[in-house]
Amino acid sequence: MIDEVKVLRKRVIVSPLWIMPIAAAIISIWMIVNGHLNSGDDIKIEFESSVGIVAGKTPLMYRGMEVGKVTEISIAENRPDRVLIALRLKKGAEDLAKEGAAFWIVRPKIGVQEISNLDTLLTGAYIAVKPPSLDANNLLRLPKRNYFIGRTVSPSDDPCTDCSILTFTSSSKSNLKEGSGIFYRDFKVGHVSSIQLDHKLDKIIFKATIDSKFSSLLAHPIYLWKQKALDVDYSTNNLSIELAPLTGVLEGRIELGVLFDGKPNASEVLRLYSSDVEGKKEMMRLTGGKVVSFIIADNSSIKEASPIIYKQMQIGELDRFQLAKDGINITLQGYIYPRFSHLINKRSVFYTQSAAQIDTANFNLKLAAPERLMRGGIELMHATDDIDYGRSTRYPIYNSKAEAEQFLIGQRPGLRVILSANKKRSIEVGSPVLFRQFPVGDVEWIKLLPNGKQLQIGIYIQKEYQHLVQLGSKFWSASGVQASLSLSSGLKLQTESLKSIVAGGISFATLAQDTSAKAKNGEQYILHEKADEKWSD
Amino acid sequence: MIEPHLSPCTCRTCHLIFDKSEHQTRCPRCGDILKHRHFNRHHYPLIFLLTAFFFYFPANLFPIMVVEGIRGTTASTIIGGIIIFFKKKMYFIGAVIFLASVLIPLLKMIGLSYLLLNRDYSTISNRRKTKLYHFIEFIGKWSMIDIFVICIFAGLVDMGAMMRIQSGQGANAFLLVVLFTMLAVKFFDPRIMWDKLKDNEND
C-alpha cells in the first residue's frame, strides 16, 4: 500500500500549477512598483488659512483635473500665523511644482457681478495651481521646488499667460476693487487685478488683465474712464440723467474706449479719466488727432456723436452739446482722427447735410445714404482760395451746403463795392460783373434801401482784376438788349454777351483819364441804366 | 486501533467506510472514485497558499474601495478604513472589519502553513492540529464579507456624479487572497496530518 503511494508521489515532479504563485508574485510586485512610481512628489505650501481644506480629501486641481491631493495640514514652522498644507502630486504632475508656480485656494465667490466657483459650494474648496510657464521647454529648465508660498487670490480668474496687462493710474480708488470689470461697449473684456499706492503715495496704480481674445483692442490707442454713478447732463436741450449700471456702482466698473485710428503711445502711462469725453480728448491729443470746437445756433439737425464726413469718408466724430457762455449758441467739440487731422485748417468750412436735398433750379432730388439719414453728421468743405477769416478756434456749422458756399463766397478775396440803382432790372445775386464782356466778378447781394427809393447792389470783383475798378469807373446794367433809335445814327442795337442777356449782369469800364485812384472796399457807385458810347471802348 | 491487515478507506462523498484492499476503485455505494489520499495533489494547498500570500501585499497596500463624490475621489485601503472607523470612535465596526479583513486571512494563512510545514513531524498533538484545521475551515468564509460589502455598495451607491462607489485595485487582490486561501483549505487533505503519525506508530 505504502509503496504504491510512494510511486505516485514520485511520478509527479513539478505541477504546472506552480505557475500560479509565480504569476501572483509577479503581479503583486508589478502592482506595488507601478503604484509607487505613480505617486509623485510631496510638496508643501504655506497659506494664511486652510478654511475648507480637508486632509486626504481636498484635491489639487489644474485645468479641471485632479493632479494631487492634500495629505496633511499643519501649522507652519516658525510661523504660527500661517498653515502648511502638504500635498502629494500625482505622477506626471511634478512639472507643475517648479519655481514660480502659483498655488491658491479656490472657494465659492458670490458677488453682485459674479457668482463663481459655485461648484466648490458642494465640493468644498480646492487648491489650484498655475505653472510658471506654459512652454514645455521652459518648464523643464526651471528648478524643482517642494516648498511654496500660497497666494491669497488667484493670479487671474482663469490661469492664462497670454492675457495682456494694462497699467494705469488714478488719483482716487473710488469704488474700484480687485476684480472690478473693465468694459468695452458693455462687454466685459477684463478686470482689475491689483490696486496699489505708488511709492510716492500720491497716486494709485491699477493693474488690469485684458482677456486674450480682446487683446487686439490694445493695438489701438485706448483710454479708460470711470463711469460716474449718476450723470446729470443739463447742457443739452433735454435734461438727461444717466444712471450707471447698478452692478457697476456696487462692484466698480471701468470703461474702455478705443480710438480705432492711430497708434498707441507705448511710453505713455494710461490714466483713469473721469469721463469718456475727457479721455477721448486727451487720447486724441496724444495720438495726434485734432480736437475741433464748433459753435452753432441751432442743433436740431445735428445729433451728438454724429460723424464728421469729408468726401463721403468719416474723418472724425462729434461729441456732446454744451451751451455756450452766452446762453444762445451751442458749442460742441469734434474729434478728427489722427490721419485726417491735416485736413482741418483755417479754410475748413463745416455744414450739416440734410437727409434730402432738393435743388429747385435743376429739379434734382438728392437723398443721402440711409446710414447718414440715421446718424446725421456734418460735412467738411474746403475753400479753394486761401482765406483767412480768423475763426480757427471755433468753426460755425452751416445749415446747408448752399449756406456754406454762400459763406465762402463772402470770404473770397477781392474788391467789394456797392452800386446804387433805382431798378433791379434782371440783376440777380450771382449775376456776372463784366469787364470788356469778360466776367471778373459777380453780384453778391441786392437790397432795397429802407426809404424805398433806391436799391443797393453789392458786387464782388476778383482779386486779380480789382485794380480795374477805379474811383472813376462807370457801372451800367448789361442786361438784355438795348435798342436806341436816333436820327443821326439810325437804329442801334447794343448787346452784351448772351449769358448776360439771359441772366442779367453788370458791366463796368474805367476811363483812361480817371486812373486817379484805386477803389476801396465799400466804395459807392451809381449803376447807370445804359452805357455811354465812349465807355464801351 | 485499526486492524493492520485492512486498508480502510472512506468515501469522500458519502463517507462510507470500507476495506480498499479489494482493489476497488469506486465507492460501492455512490460510485465516486476512491483514493486513499489525494497524494498527487498534496502540493495544491501549498501552491494556493503561496499565491494567496503574494496577493496579500497589494490587497493591503492598494485602496480597496474608491468613493467618487462631488468632493473628489477618496480611495481607502483596508487599514486606512479601519483607522477612520477607530478615529470616529466606531470601535465595533472597526474591530469587525479588522477581524474579517486583516486578522482572519492572516491567521488562515499562518495556520495553514503551520499545518503544511508540520505535516511530517509534529510538535503539537493531532487533536490540536485537528482543532486548528476546523478553526481555519470555519473562519475562511468570513473574509468574503469585505468583498460582499464592496459589491453591495458598488451596486447600491451609484448616483452618477453625486456619489459612486467602486472597488479599487486592492479589492481584486483581496478577493484573490480569500479565494486562494479557501482553495488551499479545500485541497488540504487533513488525513495527511495523521499519516505520518500512523507511520511513526507503525515503526
Side-chain angles (χ1 to χ4, degrees):
Chain A
M1 284 293 104
I2 305 301
D3 289 348
E4 193 194 354
V5 166
K6 279 178 180 163
V7 167
L8 274 169
R9 195 183 276 174
K10 273 173 187 166
R11 210 170 56 198
V12 180
I13 301 160
V14 177
S15 163
L17 272 177
W18 279 105
I19 199 90
M20 282 209 301
I22 295 163
I26 291 169
I27 289 169
S28 300
I29 290 166
W30 177 79
M31 273 174 88
I32 290 162
V33 168
N34 195 39
H36 182 74
L37 288 178
N38 270 340
S39 69
D41 298 350
D42 285 324
I43 56 163
K44 282 182 174 178
I45 313 167
E46 229 180 82
F47 278 109
E48 266 179 22
S49 142
S50 66
V51 176
I53 305 294
V54 184
K57 280 224 166 79
T58 304
L60 174 70
M61 304 292 276
Y62 175 63
R63 293 184 186 248
M65 195 182 92
E66 191 181 320
V67 291
K69 192 156 263 184
V70 172
T71 52
E72 207 189 327
I73 305 170
S74 55
I75 295 169
E77 289 163 42
N78 309 326
R79 287 292 303 274
D81 59 328
R82 290 176 81 88
V83 291
L84 200 60
I85 294 176
L87 288 131
R88 172 160 298 158
L89 293 176
K90 278 193 177 169
K91 181 79 190 166
E94 290 100 332
D95 278 353
L96 292 171
K98 290 288 179 82
E99 191 174 283
F103 292 88
W104 70 98
I105 298 174
V106 179
R107 296 189 177 99
K109 194 158 75 181
I110 299 174
V112 179
Q113 203 175 15
E114 64 168 342
I115 297 175
S116 63
N117 309 327
L118 208 58
D119 52 332
T120 55
L121 263 184
L122 293 167
T123 62
Y126 61 85
I127 300 172
V129 59
K130 179 183 176 257
S133 165
L134 290 182
D135 187 66
N137 292 331
N138 282 347
L139 214 52
L140 275 177
R141 250 179 271 131
L142 285 163
K144 219 168 203 175
R145 287 285 197 86
N146 56 13
Y147 196 93
F148 296 90
I149 306 289
R151 287 170 175 244
T152 45
V153 288
S154 74
S156 69
D157 276 350
D158 177 29
C160 81
T161 51
D162 43 359
C163 287
S164 312
I165 304 290
L166 273 183
T167 308
F168 55 95
T169 61
S170 174
S171 55
S172 82
K173 183 177 168 287
S174 67
N175 65 342
L176 295 172
K177 54 189 168 202
E178 284 180 13
S180 290
I182 293 176
F183 289 82
Y184 169 66
R185 298 188 182 204
D186 284 342
F187 271 97
K188 193 176 177 185
V189 295
H191 63 271
V192 175
S193 49
S194 83
I195 303 175
Q196 284 170 332
L197 270 173
D198 84 331
H199 62 280
K200 280 187 276 175
L201 304 175
D202 63 343
K203 60 187 171 189
I204 291 153
I205 298 170
F206 292 83
K207 278 204 163 69
T209 311
I210 303 293
D211 290 357
S212 54
K213 57 183 166 181
F214 298 110
S215 58
S216 61
L217 288 174
L218 306 184
H220 303 286
I222 57 161
Y223 56 95
L224 298 149
W225 80 93
K226 170 87 188 60
Q227 199 170 42
K228 290 184 191 107
L230 183 69
D231 195 3
V232 181
D233 188 0
Y234 47 85
S235 62
T236 50
N237 288 350
N238 310 322
L239 176 74
S240 134
I241 298 171
E242 216 168 276
L243 191 69
L246 201 61
T247 55
V249 176
L250 293 169
E251 294 277 314
R253 179 181 165 121
I254 293 173
E255 306 283 334
L256 176 79
V258 176
L259 298 176
F260 280 104
D261 206 274
K263 286 187 182 73
N265 194 341
S267 61
E268 201 73 39
V269 175
L270 292 165
R271 260 182 55 206
L272 186 63
Y273 297 100
S274 58
S275 72
D276 186 9
V277 179
E278 196 197 339
K280 197 181 251 182
K281 216 193 282 181
E282 192 65 13
M283 278 321 287
M284 278 289 177
R285 193 182 59 73
L286 290 172
T287 54
K290 212 164 198 169
V291 181
V292 186
S293 294
F294 297 102
I295 184 154
I296 46 172
D298 171 33
N299 61 354
S300 58
S301 59
I302 306 171
K303 280 190 220 149
E304 289 181 348
S306 300
I308 299 171
I309 286 150
Y310 178 62
K311 294 192 193 290
Q312 301 299 326
M313 276 185 291
Q314 185 173 351
I315 59 161
E317 63 190 83
L318 292 176
D319 190 34
R320 289 191 176 184
F321 295 127
Q322 273 179 332
L323 205 59
K325 275 177 191 157
D326 61 5
I328 299 158
N329 287 318
I330 290 152
T331 61
L332 79 160
Q333 276 177 325
Y335 308 108
I336 307 296
Y337 300 146
R339 71 186 142 118
F340 297 113
S341 58
H342 65 275
L343 291 172
I344 308 301
N345 52 34
K346 55 192 175 181
R347 285 185 291 156
S348 303
V349 177
F350 296 90
Y351 62 95
T352 60
Q353 185 137 41
S354 41
Q357 291 170 37
I358 302 169
D359 189 346
T360 45
N362 304 321
F363 284 107
N364 191 355
L365 178 70
K366 231 168 140 185
L367 279 172
E371 188 216 330
R372 295 280 306 283
L373 279 172
M374 299 297 293
R375 288 186 70 191
I378 63 167
E379 295 236 14
L380 166 70
M381 190 166 73
H382 275 133
T384 43
D385 302 303
D386 189 21
I387 317 165
D388 181 7
Y389 46 79
R391 266 192 290 201
S392 55
T393 50
R394 277 185 179 177
Y395 294 89
I397 298 175
Y398 296 96
N399 280 329
S400 68
K401 193 173 184 179
E403 255 186 62
E405 277 167 350
Q406 192 62 47
F407 166 76
L408 280 182
I409 284 165
Q411 300 299 325
R412 289 176 296 185
L415 180 69
R416 283 176 178 77
V417 294
I418 298 161
L419 309 178
S420 47
N422 46 15
K423 273 186 192 167
K424 186 179 161 283
R425 296 174 197 281
S426 60
I427 294 162
E428 302 284 347
V429 171
S431 295
V433 175
L434 307 163
F435 184 77
R436 295 183 187 274
Q437 296 187 4
F438 180 81
V440 294
D442 51 39
V443 175
E444 277 188 341
W445 49 269
I446 303 168
K447 67 180 178 194
L448 185 67
L449 284 182
N451 60 26
K453 285 179 181 163
Q454 267 196 316
L455 287 163
Q456 278 198 329
I457 301 168
I459 63 163
Y460 159 78
I461 310 293
Q462 287 169 27
K463 203 176 176 180
E464 61 258 48
Y465 304 115
Q466 132 177 36
H467 61 274
L468 297 173
V469 183
Q470 307 282 342
L471 281 176
S473 294
K474 303 287 181 198
F475 291 84
W476 69 93
S477 168
S479 49
V481 182
Q482 287 176 20
S484 62
L485 187 68
S486 70
L487 286 168
S488 57
S489 52
L491 182 68
K492 205 169 183 181
L493 271 176
Q494 195 182 4
T495 63
E496 297 290 329
S497 68
L498 188 64
K499 194 181 168 191
S500 64
I501 294 170
V502 178
I506 294 166
S507 284
F508 75 94
T510 304
L511 301 177
Q513 64 267 34
D514 295 331
T515 54
S516 52
K518 280 179 190 168
K520 286 183 204 122
N521 263 339
E523 202 77 53
Q524 297 225 352
Y525 294 92
I526 295 163
L527 180 67
H528 299 275
E529 264 179 56
K530 55 182 189 230
D532 211 304
E533 264 181 62
K534 60 184 181 235
W535 298 345
S536 312
D537 303 323
Chain B
M1 287 289 352
I2 305 151
E3 298 276 338
H5 63 277
L6 293 176
S7 179
C9 181
T10 249
C11 172
R12 292 257 310 182
T13 314
C14 67
H15 297 272
L16 178 73
I17 300 164
F18 58 95
D19 187 9
K20 205 178 172 276
S21 54
E22 290 137 45
H23 296 285
Q24 279 174 299
T25 51
R26 285 181 181 273
C27 171
R29 188 160 66 181
C30 67
D32 197 9
I33 298 163
L34 284 175
K35 262 169 196 165
H36 264 105
R37 304 285 183 266
H38 296 278
F39 282 123
N40 56 338
R41 289 189 192 164
H42 75 279
H43 56 281
Y44 276 28
L46 186 67
I47 287 171
F48 293 137
L49 194 64
L50 271 175
T51 312
F53 174 74
F54 286 131
F55 280 128
Y56 189 71
F57 293 99
N60 279 289
L61 290 172
F62 282 90
I64 191 161
M65 195 160 79
V66 179
V67 181
E68 287 176 19
I70 39 175
R71 287 219 55 172
T73 309
T74 316
S76 33
T77 58
I78 295 171
I79 298 289
I82 292 163
I83 288 168
I84 287 170
F85 277 122
F86 272 88
K87 270 188 181 167
K88 295 191 172 171
K89 306 200 170 169
M90 296 154 96
Y91 300 116
F92 181 71
I93 301 173
V96 166
I97 302 218
F98 177 71
L99 275 175
S101 312
V102 184
L103 213 58
I104 289 174
L106 202 64
L107 283 175
K108 216 157 76 172
M109 284 192 293
I110 291 169
L112 204 57
S113 39
Y114 180 80
L115 289 178
L116 284 170
L117 289 171
N118 292 304
R119 196 187 64 192
D120 294 337
Y121 53 95
S122 180
T123 47
I124 56 167
S125 66
N126 264 359
R127 234 179 103 191
R128 285 218 169 145
K129 276 189 185 175
T130 312
K131 267 190 173 176
L132 187 60
Y133 174 70
H134 278 309
F135 177 69
I136 289 165
E137 210 182 20
F138 171 72
I139 61 171
K141 37 191 157 306
W142 286 100
S143 300
M144 256 340 207
I145 200 168
D146 265 30
I147 303 297
F148 184 65
V149 165
I150 294 164
C151 286
I152 286 180
F153 272 167
L156 286 178
V157 188
D158 188 358
M159 292 177 261
M162 287 287 285
M163 202 185 189
R164 225 162 81 180
I165 292 178
Q166 286 180 318
S167 65
Q169 279 178 300
N172 300 333
F174 189 77
L175 175 71
L176 290 170
V177 170
V178 177
L179 199 77
F180 279 107
T181 50
M182 284 172 84
L183 277 173
V185 174
K186 180 81 192 158
F187 279 92
F188 181 73
D189 190 344
R191 290 176 297 189
I192 58 164
M193 294 190 293
W194 314 307
D195 279 341
K196 199 71 191 174
L197 211 67
K198 198 171 73 183
D199 291 350
N200 291 348
E201 276 169 15
N202 288 348
D203 294 338

